[in-house]
Amino acid sequence: MNNKNPKLEAYLTKIDKALGSIAVSEKAEIITELKSHILSELSRNPNQNLDKTLASLGEAEHVANRYLLERGLSPSKASKHQAIKWAAFGLVGTLSVFAVLAMFLFTQLTPIIEVNEAEGRVRILGGLIDISDHTSSNSSTKKVDRSLQEREISGTASLSGKNQNINIPFANAILALNNSKDDKLSWTCKIEQDSKVKNFSLKEKNNTYNLDMSQVEGANCNIELPRDMKLSIHGSNGNIQIQKPAFDVDLKIKNGQVSIHPREDLDYSYSLDVTNGEVDGNFISSTNEKAKTIKVSILNGQIVNSKESD
Amino acid sequence: MIKKRKRAYGFELLELLKVHGLSIKEGTLYPLLSRLSKEGVLSAQWEIAPDKGNPKKFYSVTDEGQNKAVQMKEEFLKMNQLLKELSNNRSIKYYEQ
């Protein structure tokens, strides 16, 4: 063992510094004795390496503190270097935990939106919300065939006068909006067998009809609307199909897909907005005063021109 | 142990203590030897063996140290006796100072 081993010298220098107020001559004796011990240990046991010998002796600051305590002196405080080292370890550890958590959430919640037209399914936030044509479910964990557990409810109403307003609030639903053949408002829905709702209530107030579907989860409805109505429809999660509308639409949902099939013989004025997602297809707005207004706003989802995709 | 050998250095003492089943860390023994030297219980002398370069600090017990050792031995024996009596549930014997 070279007597000038840098690691050994660094260790002894640390002890020397940590010995603080002890007289220089005493410090020199302490350092010489410790060095002699380490070299004796290494020459006695050739298999023992320097790191093990130093570890056996203890941290330089601890060894120095024992000398100070034996003399009734205050031990030196942990060096700033040590404090910074542990603070850095803590910070890196905390950041690592956050990074792993962020990566986990990213992998679990991506893609933000995935539309599978073949399966008639919209998956949002990596499947956290799963809207399917077949199951009417908003959860990917529900794989049960619900066709046997559903019942049908329907209703019809003759609306007096033209240019009436119709509001349809809903929670989670698959809705097909079509033109009525007899100028009546009608609806046919499949809902869960055990749902407490007997039928949807239709209430009229100030020329506005309110068809409340907000108490039903996962309704699958076909709704027929009279011409020239002003339809206002809003909900949380939905898959809405608007078929050749001869009525105005003001539609607002948080998550889902809206497909629009315009009529060739009618003009439309579009206002389409998707915050997270896309508008797929061309929607040409007309300046015709008589153009039907189609206003759609989605937070997470997609608007599709289903005429183009046919 | 130092008294018995007349003199001993730290590394040697550690080995001896280990043999007798008293395993003391070197980080504890050296500061203790340093204090006892400072108090005058031990005297220390540096020596360099002609064949090896490592200087060794040999400790020997001073007269003062010998007196203290006798006192401490007496104290230990008294304490030992007291503990024995306590553990045997006998009446406590008070020793005159």
Side-chain angles (χ1 to χ4, degrees):
Chain A
M1 166 62 63
N2 182 2
N3 286 8
K4 288 286 178 190
N5 182 295
K7 196 178 274 184
L8 174 58
E9 293 303 318
Y11 180 80
L12 295 171
T13 305
K14 268 190 189 175
I15 293 179
D16 186 57
K17 280 185 183 171
L19 285 171
S21 60
I22 292 179
V24 177
S25 59
E26 280 187 65
K27 276 188 192 176
E29 284 210 26
I30 290 167
I31 298 299
T32 311
E33 187 175 34
L34 290 174
K35 188 175 182 179
S36 170
H37 168 84
I38 293 162
L39 295 174
S40 298
E41 181 77 51
L42 292 171
S43 60
R44 177 74 63 92
N45 187 0
N47 294 327
Q48 181 98 323
N49 63 31
L50 179 62
D51 288 333
K52 268 190 176 178
T53 308
L54 297 183
S56 172
L57 203 58
E59 286 275 330
E61 286 82 3
H62 293 170
V63 175
N65 283 346
R66 284 191 180 276
Y67 279 98
L68 292 166
L69 286 168
E70 288 288 357
R71 284 165 167 74
L73 300 169
S74 309
S76 60
K77 289 177 184 171
S79 66
K80 281 185 182 174
H81 172 75
Q82 289 288 321
I84 290 167
K85 187 176 86 176
W86 286 112
F89 272 133
L91 186 66
V92 169
T94 309
L95 289 176
S96 302
V97 169
F98 276 111
V100 169
L101 189 64
M103 281 173 69
F104 173 74
L105 288 174
F106 182 75
T107 53
Q108 292 296 310
L109 300 180
T110 51
I112 291 172
I113 182 158
E114 180 186 9
V115 178
N116 188 333
E117 289 184 15
E119 292 181 11
R121 168 170 283 183
V122 180
R123 298 178 83 236
I124 298 160
L125 295 175
L128 190 66
I129 299 165
D130 188 345
I131 302 162
S132 166
D133 280 347
H134 307 299
T135 63
S136 301
S137 169
N138 68 337
S139 168
S140 59
T141 56
K142 292 181 182 175
K143 300 288 183 191
V144 181
D145 180 5
R146 285 176 50 191
S147 60
L148 299 173
Q149 302 170 359
E150 288 174 343
R151 64 184 167 90
E152 194 172 283
I153 57 173
S154 58
T156 308
S158 295
L159 310 184
S160 57
K162 285 210 165 190
N163 300 319
Q164 298 284 6
N165 299 311
I166 301 173
N167 284 338
I168 304 179
F170 70 96
N172 305 306
I174 298 170
L175 305 175
L177 308 175
N178 295 294
N179 294 308
S180 170
K181 289 167 189 165
D182 52 7
D183 258 8
K184 287 181 178 176
L185 169 66
S186 63
W187 59 93
T188 307
C189 296
K190 287 177 180 173
I191 64 170
E192 282 183 9
Q193 188 73 43
D194 54 358
S195 174
K196 288 177 183 172
V197 174
K198 301 286 182 195
N199 207 335
F200 299 126
S201 65
L202 180 69
K203 290 177 181 170
E204 190 267 334
K205 190 178 181 184
N206 300 330
N207 284 340
T208 298
Y209 289 87
N210 197 58
L211 183 63
D212 189 359
M213 297 170 64
S214 61
Q215 300 305 311
V216 178
E217 292 284 337
N220 188 345
C221 299
N222 181 44
I223 301 171
E224 294 186 353
L225 297 135
R227 282 182 68 91
D228 302 325
M229 292 288 133
K230 294 184 189 304
L231 172 67
S232 174
I233 182 164
H234 51 92
S236 293
N237 307 307
N239 187 337
I240 319 291
Q241 295 163 24
I242 306 170
Q243 294 289 336
K244 300 178 180 178
F247 44 83
D248 293 328
V249 178
D250 183 356
L251 190 156
K252 200 171 187 178
I253 57 172
K254 286 180 182 169
N255 308 302
Q257 186 188 46
V258 174
S259 59
I260 304 167
H261 189 137
R263 257 171 75 160
E264 287 179 2
D265 58 334
L266 285 177
D267 291 326
Y268 296 97
S269 173
Y270 294 104
S271 170
L272 309 175
D273 177 52
V274 182
T275 307
N276 299 309
E278 60 179 358
V279 177
D280 187 7
N282 289 319
F283 293 94
I284 301 163
S285 282
S286 167
T287 53
N288 187 345
E289 284 181 358
K290 292 182 179 177
K292 297 296 174 195
T293 302
I294 307 291
K295 187 180 177 185
V296 179
S297 175
I298 307 176
L299 184 62
N300 303 303
Q302 191 182 31
I303 299 172
V304 180
N305 188 329
S306 55
K307 185 185 171 188
E308 288 179 2
S309 57
D310 283 348
Chain B
M1 205 167 273
I2 296 171
K3 188 182 160 190
K4 198 173 180 181
R5 295 178 70 88
K6 302 231 165 135
R7 61 179 208 156
Y9 61 98
F11 189 80
E12 191 181 10
L13 277 171
L14 283 167
E15 295 288 304
L16 283 168
L17 288 166
K18 211 180 281 177
V19 169
H20 287 86
L22 282 169
S23 189
I24 294 179
K25 297 285 283 181
E26 46 270 55
T28 304
L29 180 74
Y30 284 107
L32 182 66
L33 291 172
S34 176
R35 175 170 66 82
L36 293 174
S37 299
K38 204 170 165 57
E39 288 175 352
V41 175
L42 297 175
S43 65
Q45 194 176 356
W46 283 98
E47 279 186 25
I48 301 172
D51 54 333
K52 290 180 183 175
N54 293 340
K56 290 186 174 69
K57 194 175 185 181
F58 283 91
Y59 294 92
S60 51
V61 183
T62 61
D63 291 342
E64 188 187 340
Q66 289 201 22
N67 293 336
K68 270 203 173 170
V70 171
Q71 280 176 21
M72 284 175 77
K73 191 178 174 184
E74 281 178 5
E75 286 290 328
F76 174 77
L77 289 173
K78 279 179 192 174
M79 186 62 72
N80 195 30
Q81 181 64 29
L82 181 64
L83 289 172
K84 268 185 187 172
E85 286 177 6
L86 283 170
S87 64
N88 291 334
N89 284 329
R90 291 180 188 166
S91 59
I92 299 169
K93 183 180 176 183
Y94 292 93
Y95 291 91
E96 288 177 11
Q97 294 295 320

